[in-house]
Structures are given as structure tokens and as C-alpha cells.
Amino acid sequence: MSWARNKMCRSRTALTSWLILLVQLSCLEAVPISMDKTKIEDTEPKAEEAPASVDTGLHYDRYLREVIDFLEKDQHFREKLHNTDMEDIKQGKLAKELDFVSHHVRTKLDELKRQEVSRLRTLIKAKQDLEGGNDIAVDHQALLKQFEYLNHMNPHTFEVEDLDRLIRSATNDLENFDKERHEEFKKYEMLKEHDRQEHLKTLDEEERKKEEEHYDDMKKKHADHPKVNHPGSQTQLKEVWEEADGLDPEDFDPKTFFKLHDSNGDGYFDEQELEALFTKELEKIYDPTNEEDDMVEMEEERLRMREHVMNEVDSNKDRLVSLDEFLVATKKKEFLEPDSWETLEQNQAYTDEEMREFEEHLVQQEEDLNQKAVDLQKQRQELEKQQEQLNAQKVELQQAVEHMERLKTLKVEPPPEVHIEGNAIPEVHGYENALPPGHRATSKEHQSPPQEPLEPLQAHPEGADQNQGQHGLPQTRHHLPPGHQEIHRDPNSP
């Protein structure tokens, strides 16, 4: 966690350093021009390497760093940055110089902005899908207003307003970063206490008493540590001078101390370099091997110390401490005769009212989650019911298909065609089975009494009636199939 904390601090400092990168050079001692150019060339690679290794924690970190990279490649913009102080940068004067950068850089900035707008739109659509609003039209222009670091009304080109917005937003967001961290730590402490109280409720009286005694013992052990020096005071810095640097405290020299601990040699103490000065003090209070010491609290203590020194020493509020600012601070009474430093255990991170509101919020969250669970259960039951209905319909459909298949197998094929030559009459087999649909063959018991045979047609040759009987043809009108009529012929017809 300490590594991650240092990495985050380094990233915030890197962005601030970019805004005053060339301004810093003017504060150094005068050197020959050729050496100054060498100094600039040595500094540029550091600015280019930073984005690959650190992260500011801002949701537009990548966009911010890519814009910085391309602007630093333009010679005109670098020169203007060199002659612009921090206050003018914050007021947007530097952004106006965007109109004079090279066409190549402007083209790349346009492309970066289009990519960023596309990314934001994708995020908005993804968020809408997660919230179940797939059928709702998205007003991207309205939603993009929440992203103040770019001009959403012009999603195609990177203009002066975009650079101004980016500088202002990054400066404001980074300045509020510490405040947000304090709020997160406060929630962490309240949740830790809430969980402890909830755990006590699960214990019987004897176990609860033992747990409370153990908790009090841990608090006493944590508070039993050497005196912590006031951060940034002469006493505290002399201790670093002696124990970390191995020098005689009687020979303490503020200017020499500054140069010893300006690890990157840029003439400034950044946040990371300042926090490194407090390591000895923090080791007096926290040990990662001790049960009673919370490393999250250690990082919060480190942040408190760094903020205190910045507020006391950083006169121009650029989040950096110059050598001049440091030397001026060493002459103040607060440096020579500091007050005692109150650690976290002496300053509770939250009030009783804040704890009460936090617990009410947790109760409301739990109720909301329970309600969502009930709603999800109802939805599940409804889906299961629908699934059962679908399964029943599937079974019915399958049964219908099987029934149709059975009917197909039972269907009788039509009789084969027989070629008739001359007056020969084809023999018909299975007359009863060949009845049209809807007709039933009459059984022998229910057949009508035999009718008198018709007089044979004179035109027929002898033996025609006999042939008809032999071929099973109907000999009476009652035996004609439905839809057939007997043909009466004229005896005189051929």
C-alpha cells in the first residue's frame, strides 16, 4: 500500500511539474547557454517517461497525458511555458498560445479529442445498458456536459477552450484529491468501528467483555510510542540529518539538507520527496508486524504531515516547495519552536454525529439491497413460471407433431394405375378400403336385400353381365359409389 501511495503522489506531482517544468529552470543559478540547453534536453525525457509508469487516478488520465506529450514536442509552446508563471497558467493565458503551435501537433490533438469523446460516449452507453435502459434514447450532448475537461459542443477539433478546460479541471481535481482521500479514510474508520460493534452483538456477555478488554489493550499498545516530532520542524529535520544522513546534528545546515533530499535535483521538494522526510516519524508509531497498528492509518498520517508542511511552507500554492520557500520557513518561529504534534489516535477522524449518519446510511443501503433481492426473487419466479408455460407448449407441440406423423404412416396409398385395352374393364380390388373419406363400408348383416337385376343392355355382347359379376362391378344402383350416376343408353344407339 505504501508503494501504491507513493506512486499516486508521484503522478500528481508529475502533472504539476509539467505546468511549471520550464519555469523552474529560470529559478536556477545562471549557467552558460550551452549548458542550459543540455539541462533542457536532460529534463525532457523525464517528462516523457512519466506517463508510462504513474497514474494520477483521474478518469481522464490517459487523455491528459497524451495532450501533454504532444504539446511538449512543440518548440513555440515550450518557450511560452518557460516565460509563463503558474498563476497565469491557471488563469488560462497559456492556453491562448495553442493557436501558434505547429499544424502537425494540432492535427494530433484533434485526433486525441475525437478519441476521447468516442470513449466517453461508449462509457455512457455502457452505463445505460447496465441500468437497464436499452430502449431509451441517449442524449449524448446532455450527458457529456458532466465532463468539464473538454468542450463537448465541438467533438471534432481541439481548440483553445479545450486546453483551458483541461488545465483548470486537472488543477482543481488534483487539489481536491487529498480532500477526497480524507473522506475515504473517514468512511474506512467508521466502517471499522461499525463492524466491531456488530461483532460484539454476536457475543455473549463474557465473550463481549474479553473482546472489549483486548480492544483497549491494543489501543494502549499503539499509543505507547516515542514522541513524534512536529513535521517540518528543526527538531524533526535534524533527526533525519543525524539518523538518515549520518551527519552531526550540530552541523545542521538547511540549504545543504535541501540539496541532499532533493532526490531528482530539480530545485524543488515535491510531495513524494516531502513525505520521504516523515518516514522516521511514522516508524515510531506504526509497525506492520504489530496487531495494533493499522497501515491504512499510517498512510493517512503521512498525508496529514505532508499537508501540514505544504500549508506552512508552500507560499505560492503550486504544490511544490522551492529552495527559497524552504529557507524562509526555517527562519520562522514555528520551525524553531514548534508545538507538539497530535497523531491520529489523539484526533478521532469522525464525530459522533457523522457516525450516526453513517450507520443510518448503512441501514438504508441494507434495506435497498433487501428490496432489490425481493424484486429479483419475484422476477425469478415469474421467469420460472413463463419457462414452465413454454415447456408445456413445447410438449403439446411435440405431441401434435407425433400425431401427424402417425396419421401419415396410416394413410392408404392410391391404387396403381392399370392400362385398359379395348373394352376390357380393370379389376378393382379392395373396394371397401377404397371408399372415399367419410364413407363407411356396409357390413353384410346390414346390407339391403338383393335387388332384381337390371335387364341387360342389348348393345352389350353376350356374357357382359357375367363379366361384370366376375370383375366385382356393382350391378345395382344401390351399389354405385357416391357421386356416380347410372348411364341410361338408347337401345337404338350403336
Side-chain angles (χ1 to χ4, degrees):
M1 179 174 292
S2 177
W3 173 84
R5 178 77 179 87
N6 291 338
K7 183 178 180 181
M8 187 68 72
C9 292
R10 189 186 308 115
S11 63
R12 298 200 311 276
T13 303
L15 284 180
T16 307
S17 300
W18 170 78
L19 296 175
I20 60 172
L21 178 63
L22 298 179
V23 179
Q24 294 174 0
L25 299 178
S26 62
C27 300
L28 302 178
E29 297 180 358
V31 292
I33 296 178
S34 58
M35 293 299 293
D36 189 40
K37 290 181 179 180
T38 303
K39 179 70 174 179
I40 295 176
E41 292 176 357
D42 291 339
T43 307
E44 288 179 359
K46 295 180 181 179
E48 294 176 357
E49 293 171 2
S53 59
V54 294
D55 193 329
T56 62
L58 302 176
H59 68 88
Y60 52 93
D61 174 81
R62 179 176 178 178
Y63 173 66
L64 174 63
R65 291 189 173 282
E66 289 176 339
V67 170
I68 290 174
D69 287 345
F70 280 107
L71 286 175
E72 286 184 342
K73 294 175 182 178
D74 185 84
Q75 182 178 359
H76 171 80
F77 196 86
R78 271 204 317 271
E79 291 175 354
K80 288 297 180 181
L81 178 62
H82 175 78
N83 297 316
T84 306
D85 58 31
M86 189 63 186
E87 202 58 39
D88 288 341
I89 292 175
K90 291 181 179 181
Q91 292 178 3
K93 293 182 180 180
L94 181 64
K96 297 178 181 179
E97 300 299 326
L98 182 66
D99 290 332
F100 303 100
V101 302
S102 67
H103 175 73
H104 172 70
V105 172
R106 289 297 296 269
T107 301
K108 294 301 295 184
L109 293 176
D110 293 344
E111 182 181 349
L112 289 176
K113 182 178 179 181
R114 287 192 293 270
Q115 292 174 355
E116 183 67 7
V117 172
S118 177
R119 183 184 74 88
L120 294 178
R121 286 175 174 169
T122 302
L123 290 176
I124 291 171
K125 182 63 170 62
K127 181 179 179 181
Q128 182 201 28
D129 292 344
L130 289 175
E131 293 175 352
N134 297 331
D135 299 330
I136 303 176
V138 181
D139 186 354
H140 287 98
Q141 290 296 331
L143 294 175
L144 284 171
K145 289 182 179 179
Q146 60 185 300
F147 303 106
E148 299 179 352
Y149 62 93
L150 52 74
N151 178 17
H152 64 279
M153 298 302 295
N154 174 19
H156 306 294
T157 58
F158 189 95
E159 304 295 342
V160 172
E161 183 180 358
D162 292 295
L163 181 56
D164 184 44
R165 282 171 174 254
L166 187 59
I167 292 174
R168 292 177 184 273
S169 296
T171 302
N172 182 66
D173 292 343
L174 291 173
E175 287 176 350
N176 291 332
F177 182 82
D178 289 342
K179 181 180 179 181
E180 293 173 359
R181 270 192 55 83
H182 285 308
E183 289 300 318
E184 288 299 320
F185 175 74
K186 183 186 296 184
K187 291 178 182 179
Y188 168 82
E189 289 289 288
M190 290 190 291
L191 183 60
K192 187 168 70 171
E193 176 62 18
H194 171 78
D195 291 342
R196 189 182 75 85
Q197 293 293 341
E198 291 297 314
H199 174 65
L200 291 176
K201 293 178 183 179
T202 63
L203 306 177
D204 57 34
E205 184 176 353
E206 183 178 355
E207 291 177 335
R208 189 181 305 112
K209 184 177 180 180
K210 291 181 179 179
E211 187 67 23
E212 290 284 16
E213 290 176 352
H214 177 71
Y215 177 73
D216 292 337
D217 289 342
M218 293 298 99
K219 288 181 65 176
K220 291 178 181 178
K221 286 183 179 180
H222 176 69
D224 185 17
H225 55 72
K227 179 183 176 181
V228 177
N229 295 313
H230 194 97
S233 66
Q234 184 181 49
T235 305
Q236 190 255 318
L237 298 185
K238 276 189 174 183
E239 191 170 292
V240 175
W241 174 278
E242 180 179 7
E243 297 184 11
D245 301 331
L247 300 174
D248 189 342
E250 298 298 326
D251 298 331
F252 177 77
D253 177 63
K255 187 174 183 179
T256 304
F257 180 89
F258 186 92
K259 292 183 177 181
L260 283 173
H261 294 275
D262 177 17
S263 57
N264 60 5
D266 62 356
Y268 290 83
F269 275 164
D270 58 33
E271 293 176 345
Q272 183 189 14
E273 290 167 337
L274 273 179
E275 291 180 358
L277 300 178
F278 312 137
T279 301
K280 289 294 181 182
E281 300 303 318
L282 293 170
E283 289 176 351
K284 296 177 181 179
I285 314 172
Y286 298 96
D287 185 344
T289 63
N290 292 339
E291 178 188 358
E292 66 272 13
D293 296 337
D294 188 335
M295 295 300 103
V296 175
E297 293 179 354
M298 183 186 75
E299 294 304 320
E300 176 67 12
E301 190 73 76
R302 189 193 303 273
L303 176 61
R304 291 178 67 240
M305 291 180 173
R306 188 255 298 162
E307 281 186 328
H308 172 75
V309 173
M310 279 291 188
N311 291 334
E312 293 291 326
V313 182
D314 182 20
S315 57
N316 63 357
K317 305 304 177 184
D318 62 356
R319 301 174 71 86
L320 296 169
V321 176
S322 66
L323 175 60
D324 290 339
E325 288 173 329
F326 180 74
L327 294 178
V328 169
T330 59
K331 297 179 174 62
K332 294 181 179 180
K333 180 180 179 181
E334 292 81 1
F335 178 79
L336 301 173
E337 301 176 9
D339 298 329
S340 59
W341 177 254
E342 294 184 350
T343 55
L344 277 176
E345 71 265 12
Q346 298 170 290
N347 290 273
Q348 187 169 273
Y350 54 87
T351 64
D352 293 340
E353 178 65 18
E354 288 173 331
M355 186 64 190
R356 184 185 64 79
E357 293 177 356
F358 180 74
E359 290 181 334
E360 291 177 354
H361 178 68
L362 290 179
V363 171
Q364 185 62 45
Q365 276 188 328
E366 185 175 0
E367 291 177 356
D368 293 342
L369 290 174
N370 291 336
Q371 184 60 46
K372 287 183 179 179
V374 172
D375 294 340
L376 289 174
Q377 182 63 24
K378 291 181 179 179
Q379 292 178 10
R380 179 181 178 181
Q381 293 174 353
E382 182 64 25
L383 290 174
E384 290 176 349
K385 183 178 179 181
Q386 294 177 4
Q387 186 63 42
E388 291 175 359
Q389 294 174 351
L390 290 174
N391 291 338
Q393 293 176 2
K394 183 179 179 180
V395 171
E396 293 178 359
L397 180 61
Q398 184 65 28
Q399 291 175 349
V401 171
E402 293 174 355
H403 179 68
M404 294 297 295
E405 292 294 333
R406 286 196 300 269
L407 291 178
K408 287 181 180 179
T409 59
L410 295 176
K411 184 176 180 181
V412 177
E413 296 294 332
E417 295 183 359
V418 179
H419 179 68
I420 302 175
E421 296 182 359
N423 293 327
I425 299 175
E427 182 179 358
V428 180
H429 300 281
Y431 177 75
E432 292 181 356
N433 292 337
L435 287 176
H439 294 74
R440 293 181 298 177
T442 306
S443 63
K444 292 182 178 180
E445 292 78 7
H446 295 85
Q447 289 181 353
S448 301
Q451 300 293 329
E452 290 293 329
L454 296 176
E455 290 293 330
L457 297 175
Q458 296 181 3
H460 285 224
E462 293 183 1
D465 291 342
Q466 184 178 359
N467 292 335
Q468 287 180 353
Q470 292 176 356
H471 287 83
L473 293 176
Q475 300 179 17
T476 66
R477 293 173 182 168
H478 299 283
H479 290 82
L480 288 175
H484 293 71
Q485 295 180 352
E486 183 178 6
I487 301 174
H488 296 278
R489 295 187 177 184
D490 186 352
N492 297 322
S493 63

